[in-house]
Amino acid sequence: MSVVDHNAIELPRISEAEVGDYIALLKPRVMSLVIFTALVGLMIAPVHVHPVLAFTSILCIAVGAGASGALNMAYEGDVDALMTRTANRPIPRGRITPSEAAAFGITLAFFSVMTLGILVNLVAGALLAFTIFFYAVIYTMWLKRWTAQNIVIGGAAGALPPVVAWAAATGSLSMEPILLFLVIFFWTPPHFWALALFRSDDYARAGIPMLPVVAGPDATRLQILLYTIVLVAIALAPWPLGYFDWIYGITSLVLGAGMLWLAVEVYRRREGVAANRATRRLFAFSILYLFALFAVLLAEVAVRAILPVIIG
């Protein structure tokens, strides 16, 4: 008669994950920004896109962004557990394992890239594949834990969705999506460094070399101001260069003035409640800044479409 050691038997793990946990892996807030900027890139393209292909393109870009988020969380579960801002994500809470998140992310990445490449065009599919790779591998696995310039270089991934969408519409690249790329690219550092200033304890505890942790808050404030100056100039440039209309130009001028004023406030106010309030205000306004800047491009498209009908 044999004796079975029940303690030696490993029962299969029963996942506690719910649909909401998998949705959280997609980083819905980031995905919403990706969808919006990609939509703008698609709509301003000077070609007619069939509605089915347009929907497919935006869906694939959104799913690709979600795949990037899932792969990011799969790799960073240990870091997320140490930070107050991310401690409630599904992996730190034990509801999803890193391997499950990785499998989920890889599956979404594969189908989003293949669908976009086959049903729309290969240029867009290749750009989406590069975007996912850059965020999940170059940024997440290398830059984020290695250099204080992580968010600067890694910001390229977040700036690519309108370029991918333009390529989906036209099968090529042009100056307009490159300008949109540059706006998002130079917007990213002041946006995230403002967050890092009032979350620096979180990053220090997790061992992430964000600029405030490595170089200190004063150096970060100077970098925020310098990047904001460049951002405002680049965001305004498409108007005098003739790529976007005056509605965009005026909006960019007004929003840029607000963004620059808040960046100066962050640079000037360095201690206590006033400093914390200034960084939080810049962080919040930066979201409005990017949204409004891209929204006005959609408005320009709508005006150009409706005006001939009204006049006619």
Side-chain angles (χ1 to χ4, degrees):
M1 182 176 180
S2 63
V3 177
V4 178
D5 183 2
H6 293 281
N7 293 326
I9 299 176
E10 290 189 10
L11 297 176
R13 175 183 179 272
I14 299 176
S15 176
E16 298 179 1
E18 298 176 355
V19 173
D21 296 311
Y22 281 97
I23 292 175
L25 285 180
L26 303 178
K27 294 190 174 182
R29 290 182 182 178
V30 176
M31 184 188 285
S32 64
L33 181 62
V34 167
I35 293 171
F36 182 62
T37 57
L39 179 63
V40 172
L42 187 76
M43 294 300 293
I44 68 171
V47 296
H48 173 72
V49 183
H50 192 283
V52 173
L53 290 181
F55 176 79
T56 301
S57 300
I58 297 300
L59 179 62
C60 289
I61 293 170
V63 173
S68 299
L71 292 170
N72 172 269
M73 288 196 196
Y75 187 78
E76 293 199 329
D78 58 332
V79 170
D80 287 345
L82 298 174
M83 299 177 64
T84 305
R85 185 172 63 90
T86 56
N88 284 325
R89 287 176 173 174
I91 293 176
R93 291 173 60 199
R95 299 185 65 83
I96 295 177
T97 66
S99 60
E100 289 170 340
F104 182 58
I106 291 170
T107 302
L108 292 181
F110 176 80
F111 282 105
S112 63
V113 169
M114 294 300 293
T115 302
L116 188 62
I118 294 171
L119 295 186
V120 183
N121 65 66
L122 293 177
V123 176
L127 282 171
L128 181 59
F130 175 75
T131 303
I132 297 170
F133 174 80
F134 195 94
Y135 185 82
V137 178
I138 304 298
Y139 170 69
T140 299
M141 297 183 180
W142 179 36
L143 293 173
K144 188 168 183 179
R145 304 193 193 201
W146 176 66
T147 173
Q149 296 300 310
N150 48 21
I151 205 64
V152 177
I153 306 169
L160 280 170
V163 181
V164 179
W166 178 283
T170 66
S172 63
L173 296 179
S174 186
M175 185 54 69
E176 290 92 332
I178 292 173
L179 288 168
L180 297 183
F181 170 89
L182 290 174
V183 169
I184 302 172
F185 182 81
F186 282 98
W187 167 86
T188 302
H191 171 72
F192 279 100
W193 281 338
L195 172 67
L197 276 173
F198 61 83
R199 293 285 190 181
S200 58
D201 290 345
D202 253 6
Y203 288 110
R205 184 165 53 251
I208 301 298
M210 290 295 283
L211 194 61
V213 177
V214 174
D218 289 347
T220 304
R221 289 185 172 90
L222 176 59
Q223 290 297 312
I224 286 175
L225 180 58
L226 293 176
Y227 270 91
T228 301
I229 292 171
V230 176
L231 166 65
V232 170
I234 287 177
L236 185 61
W239 179 29
L241 290 176
Y243 289 104
F244 302 144
D245 293 340
W246 65 270
I247 301 175
Y248 170 89
I250 298 300
T251 304
S252 176
L253 196 61
V254 173
L255 290 171
M259 188 82 179
L260 190 56
W261 179 76
L262 289 172
V264 170
E265 286 292 288
V266 168
Y267 182 75
R268 290 178 57 243
R269 303 184 184 280
R270 305 190 174 194
E271 295 182 1
V273 176
N276 188 57
R277 184 185 300 117
T279 55
R280 289 179 181 272
R281 288 175 66 189
L282 176 61
F283 176 76
F285 183 82
S286 66
I287 298 173
L288 172 65
Y289 172 88
L290 192 67
F291 173 80
L293 206 60
F294 276 68
V296 78
L297 290 175
L298 286 181
E300 285 189 355
V301 172
V303 168
R304 283 198 297 267
I306 295 172
L307 197 58
V309 177
I310 297 176
I311 294 175

